Amino acid sequence: MTGLARRIDPSSDRNSGSGTQKNQKGAKNNKTFSGKTKVKPLSEAYLPTKEDILTFITENPDRAAKRDIAKAFNLKGDARIYLKDILRELANDGQVEKRAKKLSRPNTLPPIASLTITGRDNDGGLIARPIEWSGETAAPLVLLRRTHKDKGPTVGVGDQILAKIFANSDKGGVPYTGRVIKKLEKRDNAVLGILRQLQSGEYRLEPVNRKQTEVSIDAEHLNGAKSGDLVEVIPHQKSRFGLPQGKIEQVIGSISSEKALSMIAIHEYEIPHIFPEKAIEQAENAKPATMSHREDWRSLPLVTIDPVDAKDYDDAVFAEPDTDPNNEGGFVIVVAIADVSYYVPHGSALDHEALKRGNSVYFPDRVVPMLPERISNDLCSLREGVDRPAMAVRIIIGADGRKRSHSFHRIMMRSIARLAYQQAQAAIDGALDEKTERVIDISLKPLWKAYAALKKARDKREPLELDLPEKKLILDDQGQVLKVVVPERLDAHKLIEEFMIQANVAAAEVLEAKNQPLIYRIHDVPSLAKQESLRDFLKTLEISLARGAELRPGQFNGILSRVKGTDHEELVNQVVLRSQSQAEYNTENIGHFGLNLRHYAHFTSPIRRYADLIVHRALIRALNLGPDGLSNDEVGELPAIAQSISQTERRAMLAERETTDRLIAHHLAEQVGSEFQARVQGVTRAGLFVTLATYGADGFIPISTLGREYYHYDEAGHSVAGERSGKGYRLGDSVEVRLVEAQPVAGALRFEMLTEPRLLPASLQSHHKATKFSRNTGKSRSGGPAKGKPSHISRKSKR
């Protein structure tokens, strides 16, 4: 069929009768893709070839959903079945991949991308590259185009931008053109590093970011810093031959200080941590909300249930049995969320800074908040016994836990109790204190009964149930690592989580019903490549994963329950987690795979997530709850906002993880030579990543140190094995290791393996044999390099 149009069987009922008229109609609608590629006249009698479809997807990345393709080619009835089959073939061949609801070519840019302007072409046009690129080829170039009609910002080399991306019809030029949507915050030229005094007496800055150049510091520009301090330097003079000169702008502290370690991540990832004066002034001058456009719910016995060390309380809950005789055994539940939108109007200094930050960032020793404390910890914190404005959703559920109806309200509320998770759980378990004894009957017991009903619906829905406990660093008064704990997951945690999920679903559903544009929280199904990789791995455990039908979370849960309580439990949980797509924000809804929900938007944490603030404004606009709803300008900016806050979320995750690594590396720096119990958490061609059982710290063991033979790497089996012995290590193995090196600034730990390799299961040995080298072809059976170039095999150990 490739290269040819395929005719539908003329005997089909769908092609009889009015075929001539439809063909004439199709000829009238003969259009071009983006004014570029001419399309053949199409009707139900003819179907597009694979090349036709690939061309359309390439040239129309912003409208390449299956529905868009069917509409473009006028495909109806049986023709849509053909299209579905062709798209599946293209996906299986790796020629297209799914991003949100749309199809795209591999190694291509999305319709909206973040770019860095890197230079100019011969005609003076600006050339940019994507800031983030995960493709297998080199990052593509984008030629920025500008016409006299464009009202976008003026940009230049070095700027970071959000841009609308178009495929370039000039095949001899750059692959893409782009139109600037928004100029991102331009990074300053500050350099973060450690001040070192050389033997000559000179001072140098050793940058934390190894890509940056050392800076020479004159003694007169030390600003009180001492050798070994973590400092921020502003280069002020460049030399043609020597190092650039600089002066110390800020002394953060000794590198031995844990506070300094979190500042490394803040600077490395350019996380805004100082509020502009205008934002602070706006926050300090804010007045408490009035009753305008609000319902008075202050008599409702709402409670907040949060971590014991929480400083802001942005959600409160309530439940009671439904008195409607038609809903016997049902409940009315209420989720009230701080009305942040009242204090953060669109276009204000606070709004600009909140969007730039995207979310709060949580480090073990500090929080970098999205909003100033006057807003987050005071005016928008649902404090006990204090009037606070809120957005509330009232949800009615049946005895089976399924939602029957919901409604949103803008209210004034007053929390009757601030409780910690452990405190609320203890009360339900019978250990009452003075506060919980006061609210046990009117608040806590009804909440737990409503949760029992919601849990029935959750269990039936079967969201993905990964069992991967999160570890938490406990610091002492000096900010040093005291211990690492795995907090117990209580029913109180699960109750609040399920209430929040129900509120998020209700928000997405009501906005969709009102045709109100919004930002969804989406989670795509695992990619075909990841599914196949998982399938290959499970084969090594003699577990099958069906092909064909689209995977559902319940299938993963079945696999996880099968290995529960076995030696493979943690291993399989880790591999299933790695097979999942990354959740993100998007204006196109594809549902949330992990939660197994069709409609989902973040509504419940506007203090710490900008996405939730957008959803609040959308609700105010759609339901006429006040004058401060989503503006027309914001509606047009939603795709760009979704892209931006998805990036700030990933930035926060990386910064938080790396800070934890640095804190633990600093804690272990004086324990070089000590031995630890660990688990293999990653297997690569270069070596093994291990996690210490005590601290949860990650470290690396180079493959060249494992033994006196070549080690073969098996990607599908997540293992390495010796060429002669067949013994090796695999993901999930419990091992004993010795700490060889600790680098606190880099957050890096290097270990050596003490546990002897073990004979791998027969299923894994067959995988490793498949990668051994063939003397006849000079290649491995899996397509690896020739034996003379063992890129994924260690050299013999010199030990």
Side-chain angles (χ1 to χ4, degrees):
M1 291 183 291
T2 303
L4 299 172
R6 176 180 171 182
R7 186 184 299 272
I8 296 181
D9 182 357
S11 64
S12 169
D13 290 339
R14 295 183 182 271
N15 291 290
S16 60
S18 57
T20 303
Q21 290 180 345
K22 290 180 179 178
N23 198 36
Q24 290 171 349
K25 183 179 179 181
K28 281 184 180 180
N29 290 330
N30 180 20
K31 298 179 180 178
T32 60
F33 301 150
S34 304
K36 299 169 186 174
T37 304
K38 191 72 173 176
V39 185
K40 307 169 188 178
L42 295 170
S43 72
E44 286 192 348
Y46 287 93
L47 296 176
T49 65
K50 287 184 178 179
E51 282 76 8
D52 290 333
I53 294 173
L54 291 174
T55 299
F56 180 84
I57 291 172
T58 301
E59 296 183 353
N60 299 271
D62 57 337
R63 54 187 187 97
K66 183 169 65 175
R67 179 176 57 187
D68 297 323
I69 299 170
K71 185 177 179 180
F73 291 102
N74 194 26
L75 302 180
K76 301 175 182 177
D78 291 343
R80 285 180 175 264
I81 299 174
Y82 164 80
L83 176 62
K84 183 178 180 181
D85 292 339
I86 284 294
L87 293 177
R88 184 184 295 114
E89 289 178 23
L90 290 172
N92 291 338
D93 292 342
Q95 296 188 67
V96 297
E97 59 186 18
K98 197 174 182 183
R99 293 177 185 163
K101 272 188 174 180
K102 297 182 176 65
L103 295 162
S104 63
R105 301 297 302 276
N107 299 316
T108 58
L109 288 176
I112 295 175
S114 299
L115 309 174
T116 298
I117 302 175
T118 56
R120 294 182 181 272
D121 64 6
N122 295 333
D123 298 324
L126 292 171
I127 296 291
R129 290 183 183 273
I131 295 175
E132 293 186 359
W133 178 250
S134 57
E136 298 177 359
T137 60
L141 295 175
V142 180
L143 173 63
L144 299 180
R145 63 188 188 189
R146 188 179 182 91
T147 69
H148 66 282
K149 295 181 180 179
D150 287 343
K151 298 180 180 179
T154 301
V155 295
V157 176
D159 286 337
Q160 294 184 348
I161 60 170
L162 274 178
K164 180 78 172 175
I165 303 299
F166 306 91
N168 193 356
S169 58
D170 180 7
K171 301 305 179 184
V174 297
Y176 297 98
T177 61
R179 188 179 72 243
V180 178
I181 298 174
K182 176 184 177 184
K183 182 178 177 180
L184 302 177
E185 288 294 320
K186 188 173 182 179
R187 61 183 302 171
D188 56 32
N189 61 345
V191 180
L192 186 74
I194 302 168
L195 182 67
R196 302 292 190 195
Q197 186 174 21
L198 308 181
Q199 290 184 349
S200 63
E202 296 178 272
Y203 288 93
R204 295 277 176 83
L205 180 78
E206 179 186 320
V208 169
N209 186 339
R210 301 302 176 186
K211 295 180 181 180
Q212 293 177 314
T213 307
E214 286 190 346
V215 180
S216 177
I217 312 291
D218 290 337
E220 63 185 282
H221 295 141
L222 290 179
N223 196 18
K226 306 179 186 66
S227 182
D229 280 352
L230 184 69
V231 297
E232 189 176 67
V233 168
I234 304 295
H236 64 85
Q237 182 179 344
K238 292 186 177 180
S239 171
R240 292 181 60 186
F241 303 104
L243 293 174
Q245 301 288 315
K247 58 181 179 181
I248 294 176
E249 187 76 10
Q250 180 185 4
V251 181
I252 296 169
S254 170
I255 194 60
S256 62
S257 163
E258 274 75 4
K259 181 180 178 181
L261 296 176
S262 59
M263 283 300 295
I264 292 176
I266 289 171
H267 281 74
E268 184 178 359
Y269 287 97
E270 300 171 9
I271 296 172
H273 63 289
I274 299 173
F275 285 100
E277 289 184 13
K278 287 186 177 180
I280 293 292
E281 182 181 354
Q282 183 185 339
E284 292 300 325
N285 293 334
K287 303 293 189 235
T290 67
M291 287 299 299
S292 177
H293 297 94
R294 298 188 189 281
E295 300 173 43
D296 190 348
W297 285 23
R298 285 175 288 187
S299 62
L300 195 69
L302 288 151
V303 298
T304 61
I305 305 177
D306 294 281
V308 67
D309 55 354
K311 293 182 179 179
D312 55 71
Y313 319 103
D314 59 358
D315 58 83
V317 291
F318 166 80
E320 66 179 355
D322 190 3
T323 56
D324 186 345
N326 295 320
N327 189 27
E328 186 176 351
F331 289 87
V332 176
I333 66 176
V334 172
V335 177
I337 306 298
D339 188 357
V340 178
S341 59
Y342 177 82
Y343 295 104
V344 187
H346 171 61
S348 64
L350 276 175
D351 183 49
H352 176 75
E353 187 66 15
L355 175 57
K356 184 169 71 172
R357 297 180 179 221
N359 45 259
S360 298
V361 187
Y362 295 85
F363 297 106
D365 64 328
R366 73 175 73 201
V367 176
V368 179
M370 186 180 80
L371 296 166
E373 286 193 6
R374 166 67 171 157
I375 301 296
S376 59
N377 292 1
D378 184 5
L379 294 175
C380 287
S381 187
L382 306 182
R383 295 180 176 179
E384 180 180 330
V386 180
D387 290 0
R388 284 290 182 258
M391 292 284 291
V393 56
R394 183 177 186 270
I395 303 173
I396 298 177
I397 62 172
D400 59 357
R402 297 184 64 181
K403 179 162 62 68
R404 294 193 167 198
S405 65
H406 60 260
S407 59
F408 281 85
H409 309 260
R410 207 169 189 185
I411 68 168
M412 187 67 74
M413 59 157 285
R414 184 185 297 156
S415 168
I416 65 166
R418 177 179 73 82
L419 305 174
Y421 285 116
Q422 294 80 0
Q423 185 181 17
Q425 187 67 55
I428 288 296
D429 293 340
L432 296 169
D433 59 24
E434 184 178 348
K435 182 178 289 187
T436 54
E437 187 171 14
R438 185 164 48 86
V439 299
I440 183 70
D441 292 322
I442 61 173
S443 292
L444 295 183
K445 286 183 179 179
L447 283 171
W448 254 259
K449 289 176 182 177
Y451 168 63
L454 286 174
K455 190 174 183 302
K456 296 177 186 176
R458 178 186 174 90
D459 292 343
K460 191 171 183 179
R461 189 177 82 236
E462 284 195 284
L464 184 59
E465 301 282 6
L466 287 167
D467 185 13
L468 293 167
E470 292 189 15
K471 294 181 178 177
K472 180 179 180 180
L473 292 184
I474 304 298
L475 306 181
D476 61 19
D477 294 339
Q478 284 72 46
Q480 297 185 8
V481 177
L482 188 63
K483 59 182 177 179
V484 180
V485 299
V486 178
E488 184 182 2
R489 186 157 166 76
L490 306 170
D491 281 344
H493 293 101
K494 298 174 185 177
L495 181 152
I496 295 299
E497 179 184 275
E498 195 59 33
F499 272 54
M500 298 305 114
I501 288 173
Q502 292 299 320
N504 290 336
V505 170
E509 288 181 349
V510 75
L511 290 173
E512 276 196 357
K514 294 288 186 178
N515 294 316
Q516 171 64 55
L518 71 149
I519 291 178
Y520 295 92
R521 181 65 168 178
I522 65 170
H523 182 219
D524 209 347
V525 298
S527 68
L528 291 174
K530 287 185 176 180
Q531 287 183 37
E532 196 59 35
S533 177
L534 176 62
R535 198 172 283 113
D536 288 342
F537 161 72
L538 292 174
K539 283 181 183 176
T540 67
L541 300 178
E542 298 182 348
I543 299 174
S544 62
L545 179 64
R547 279 189 175 87
E550 197 171 86
L551 286 177
R552 304 308 309 160
Q555 292 170 269
F556 288 112
N557 291 339
I559 293 168
L560 297 174
S561 63
R562 182 172 172 180
V563 298
K564 191 172 182 62
T566 70
D567 294 340
H568 303 308
E569 180 177 2
E570 185 172 345
L571 166 64
V572 174
N573 272 271
Q574 284 285 354
V575 178
V576 169
L577 173 64
R578 296 177 190 192
S579 73
Q580 301 303 304
S581 301
Q582 188 171 33
E584 62 177 285
Y585 295 106
N586 205 301
T587 53
E588 297 286 338
N589 183 32
I590 61 168
H592 197 293
F593 175 79
L595 294 174
N596 201 12
L597 293 168
R598 290 185 178 182
H599 312 278
Y600 197 67
H602 273 163
F603 159 77
T604 53
S605 294
I607 284 178
R608 62 184 180 91
R609 291 188 307 226
Y610 195 81
D612 305 57
L613 183 55
I614 288 290
V615 169
H616 277 229
R617 289 175 181 164
L619 287 165
I620 293 168
R621 171 177 171 144
L623 302 175
N624 297 314
L625 297 177
D628 48 351
L630 201 65
S631 68
N632 291 331
D633 289 343
E634 281 182 285
V635 170
E637 294 170 356
L638 288 184
I641 292 173
Q643 170 86 0
S644 177
I645 60 180
S646 292
Q647 290 182 348
T648 59
E649 179 186 47
R650 290 193 288 272
R651 177 182 71 182
M653 290 171 61
L654 290 170
E656 290 166 0
R657 185 166 63 221
E658 290 185 12
T659 298
T660 297
D661 290 344
R662 288 188 176 103
L663 282 166
I664 295 177
H666 177 263
H667 180 66
L668 297 178
E670 296 184 5
Q671 297 188 45
V672 172
S674 299
E675 298 176 3
F676 301 92
Q677 291 297 317
R679 187 176 293 275
V680 177
Q681 294 287 70
V683 183
T684 70
R685 290 179 174 85
L688 306 176
F689 288 93
V690 294
T691 299
L692 301 187
T694 307
Y695 296 102
D698 295 323
F700 186 65
I701 303 176
I703 200 169
S704 59
T705 67
L706 288 180
R708 296 181 177 274
E709 59 179 327
Y710 288 117
Y711 273 81
H712 290 279
Y713 166 63
D714 175 21
E715 183 177 7
H718 297 273
S719 59
V720 293
E723 185 176 40
R724 295 192 310 273
S725 67
K727 295 180 179 179
Y729 307 91
R730 72 179 305 186
L731 190 71
D733 281 352
S734 294
V735 294
E736 189 174 356
V737 297
R738 179 183 290 119
L739 179 61
V740 176
E741 182 182 10
Q743 298 180 359
V745 175
L749 299 172
R750 182 165 61 86
F751 297 95
E752 65 177 350
M753 181 68 74
L754 299 179
T755 301
E756 291 295 320
R758 63 187 179 91
L759 192 64
L760 296 174
S763 56
L764 274 181
Q765 291 184 45
S766 64
H767 271 262
H768 283 287
K769 288 177 182 177
T771 65
K772 288 191 176 181
F773 295 96
S774 165
R775 296 181 183 274
N776 296 329
T777 64
K779 294 182 179 179
S780 72
R781 291 175 193 152
S782 62
K787 190 172 183 178
K789 299 178 181 179
S791 64
H792 65 291
I793 298 177
S794 73
R795 294 289 182 186
K796 289 185 179 179
S797 171
K798 296 180 180 179
R799 192 173 51 177

